[in-house]
Amino acid sequence: MVLHPIECGNFKLDGGAMFGVVPKVIWQKTNPADKNNLVKVSSRSLLIENGNRLILIDTGMGNKQSEKFFDYYNRWGDFSLEKSLKEKGFHPDEITDVFLTHLHFDHCGGAVLKTREGSLVPTFKNAAYWSHQKHWKWATNPNPREKASFLSENILPIKENGQLNLLKGDDFILENTPLGFDIVIVNGHTEKQMLPMIRHKKKIIVFTGDLIPTVGHLPLAYVMGYDTRPLISLEEKNRFLKLAYEKQFLLFMEHDPFHELIDLRQTEKGIRMNENHTLKSFFE
């Protein structure tokens, strides 16, 4: 097995929204804001090369939306999903599976592209796309709070092209999935967010998605304003971090532009980052 970080693009989000009730004077120590109160965010996917399978976890926000749409998110840097795959030596047609942690636009926008003729088609024409049955229902019948994050153009073409596969299960850890890895199921951010647990070289790497978007979100009370059920997020984070520390998991950070892979330590204030790594530096 070989693991590849895939940089899909960077953007910015409101710091207050990213940290909920935590005051700026505290959260800006780890996630400094610019003059507009925006903090830097990454879209970092993970590509799993395992035998005949190439599994891509999340796809970033893509590039098919209007410039007006992207102006809201202050994109920075020159990363893109297509460019990053090419740099790693892969073509979109080689991807066998696309695993979507959840269907908010910044996680699945790159899963569908707009052709020159204006049609919407899956970016990875030979891939099976994976979502959770209950999350798919949640996203295709969105509540008012999340409606702006669930964009039909990112979601419906997957099913319309016959590439949708739905997982089932409500356990905290969903074991023995068809993808070859277990999954942590969490419901605080959105219904049935799925976080892959990848066994690699005697370690377990967890793709943390929006349960722990950045290292600055490790403290239990640091819960995003975007979460639909913040108290459940707090409980899930507490449960997960205890398990992660006990089992010495490595955390792969999707949204932290400065930390790719971290391990954990116990402190007087709770579980925190021990050291910052990359997949390459840790495993090679």
Side-chain angles (χ1 to χ4, degrees):
M1 179 187 291
V2 182
L3 303 178
H4 305 274
I6 301 295
E7 300 289 350
C8 299
N10 299 324
F11 57 105
K12 293 183 179 182
L13 290 173
D14 182 82
M18 283 295 287
F19 287 92
V21 300
V22 179
K24 179 180 179 181
V25 68
I26 298 176
W27 59 251
Q28 69 177 355
K29 295 176 182 178
T30 56
N31 297 68
D34 65 16
K35 63 180 182 180
N36 296 314
N37 206 46
L38 301 175
V39 297
K40 290 184 173 181
V41 179
S42 69
S43 287
R44 182 180 297 112
S45 298
L46 180 63
L47 184 66
I48 305 171
E49 186 180 3
N50 191 12
N52 294 326
R53 298 183 86 163
L54 276 176
I55 305 172
L56 180 64
I57 301 173
D58 280 356
T59 66
M61 66 172 64
N63 57 15
K64 65 181 175 296
Q65 308 297 337
S66 68
E67 284 304 312
K68 181 179 179 180
F69 175 89
F70 288 121
D71 283 345
Y72 291 123
Y73 298 102
N74 292 269
R75 290 183 296 174
W76 57 279
D78 61 355
F79 294 127
S80 72
L81 173 58
E82 182 179 10
K83 179 181 177 182
S84 189
L85 285 173
K86 185 176 181 179
E87 288 176 348
K88 300 294 183 181
F90 299 105
H91 188 277
D93 293 353
E94 296 178 287
I95 304 299
T96 62
D97 301 88
V98 178
F99 181 92
L100 300 170
T101 60
H102 60 297
L103 296 168
H104 287 167
F105 70 86
D106 57 316
H107 294 257
C108 73
V112 172
L113 59 80
K114 182 180 288 186
T115 67
R116 292 179 180 178
E117 296 74 29
S119 300
L120 295 169
V121 298
T123 304
F124 307 97
K125 66 179 184 180
N126 297 317
Y129 283 70
W130 298 86
S131 184
H132 192 284
Q133 183 183 48
K134 290 185 177 178
H135 182 67
W136 182 268
K137 182 178 179 181
W138 180 274
T140 53
N141 297 277
N143 61 74
R145 177 160 182 176
E146 289 181 277
K147 188 174 182 179
S149 293
F150 291 130
L151 306 179
S152 60
E153 59 266 34
N154 290 335
I155 301 173
L156 298 183
I158 299 170
K159 183 176 182 180
E160 291 167 354
N161 280 270
Q163 293 176 245
L164 177 64
N165 294 265
L166 296 174
L167 297 171
K168 300 178 182 178
D170 299 314
D171 294 339
F172 182 63
I173 296 181
L174 188 63
E175 299 179 330
N176 302 316
T177 72
L179 292 133
F181 50 73
D182 296 339
I183 297 168
V184 179
I185 302 285
V186 287
N187 300 287
H189 179 62
T190 188
E191 178 75 7
K192 297 294 179 290
Q193 180 183 191
M194 302 191 296
L195 309 178
M197 303 173 64
I198 299 121
R199 297 181 183 274
H200 182 55
K201 296 184 178 181
K202 299 182 179 181
K203 299 294 289 187
I204 293 179
I205 302 164
V206 181
F207 188 94
T208 59
D210 279 342
L211 177 65
I212 306 173
T214 75
V215 167
H217 290 84
L218 283 168
L220 295 183
Y222 290 42
V223 174
M224 291 191 293
Y226 301 112
D227 287 16
T228 59
R229 307 172 179 123
L231 292 180
I232 292 178
S233 290
L234 192 153
E235 293 170 1
E236 290 171 337
K237 192 196 301 187
N238 185 38
R239 182 179 181 183
F240 171 74
L241 285 174
K242 286 181 178 179
L243 178 66
Y245 175 72
E246 177 188 347
K247 301 295 185 181
Q248 298 184 329
F249 292 169
L250 297 169
L251 307 188
F252 185 88
M253 313 300 293
E254 183 169 16
H255 282 318
D256 193 319
F258 310 112
H259 302 88
E260 179 181 304
L261 187 75
I262 67 169
D263 59 357
L264 301 171
R265 63 188 174 95
Q266 182 71 58
T267 74
E268 294 179 354
K269 295 183 178 181
I271 295 171
R272 298 290 188 270
M273 180 181 76
N274 182 38
E275 293 186 22
N276 183 24
H277 311 277
T278 65
L279 287 169
K280 185 175 182 179
S281 68
F282 192 90
F283 289 106
E284 293 184 4

